Amino acid sequence: MNIPANLKYTKDHEWVSIDGDVATVGITDFAQKELGDIVYVEVETLDQTLDKDEVFGTVEAVKTVSDLFLPLSGEIIEFNDALESAPESVNSDPYGAGWMIKVKVSDLAEVDSLLSSDAYKELIGA
């Protein structure tokens, strides 16, 4: 299972990459495998400011629909439009082409509450 050491993680299986005050967010390799074939990613919160742990969208797979939880408070400034025509990118490349949103983080101290790759591995029993 792919769990890059340079990323941060949530207990809800989102990954976070921080660049200054902008966070890129997607779901982990573990999450996409658990969901199965992803057929749709919906994010209706573009340009909205949300608190940490609020639902920012949903991911629909063949067998289920799951909420996506914002790992850090901030404004959702970008949605990966490529997912509209190729949602399967989340399955094939969850840490690359399958990223979902970019967030302008309002409180960088919240990054400290995210899991390291080792802590995430422990959470999922990897």
Side-chain angles (χ1 to χ4, degrees):
M1 183 155 327
N2 186 12
I3 304 170
N6 62 319
L7 301 176
K8 295 289 190 177
Y9 300 88
T10 71
K11 62 179 177 25
D12 298 309
H13 311 290
E14 285 89 19
W15 60 263
V16 183
S17 172
I18 306 288
D19 183 12
D21 65 350
V22 175
T24 302
V25 178
I27 64 170
T28 65
D29 191 30
F30 174 83
Q32 68 82 18
K33 283 181 177 151
E34 291 291 306
L35 288 167
D37 292 336
I38 292 171
V39 295
Y40 190 66
V41 177
E42 181 175 51
V43 174
E44 294 184 345
T45 51
L46 189 62
D47 300 324
Q48 293 181 25
T49 299
L50 301 175
D51 290 330
K52 180 182 189 314
D53 298 327
E54 280 194 80
V55 174
F56 72 83
T58 57
V59 61
E60 183 177 337
V62 173
K63 49 185 177 173
T64 189
V65 175
S66 291
D67 287 335
L68 298 165
F69 298 96
L70 196 62
L72 300 165
S73 301
E75 180 186 357
I76 298 175
I77 57 172
E78 189 176 344
F79 169 66
N80 183 356
D81 291 331
L83 296 180
E84 290 181 4
S85 60
E88 66 277 4
S89 297
V90 175
N91 291 115
S92 61
D93 189 11
Y95 302 113
W99 68 273
M100 294 179 175
I101 60 167
K102 293 193 179 191
V103 181
K104 185 165 180 47
V105 179
S106 56
D107 184 0
L108 284 171
E110 288 179 350
V111 172
D112 295 337
S113 68
L114 298 174
L115 303 173
S116 67
S117 60
D118 288 340
Y120 183 71
K121 286 177 191 173
E122 191 173 309
L123 175 76
I124 62 172

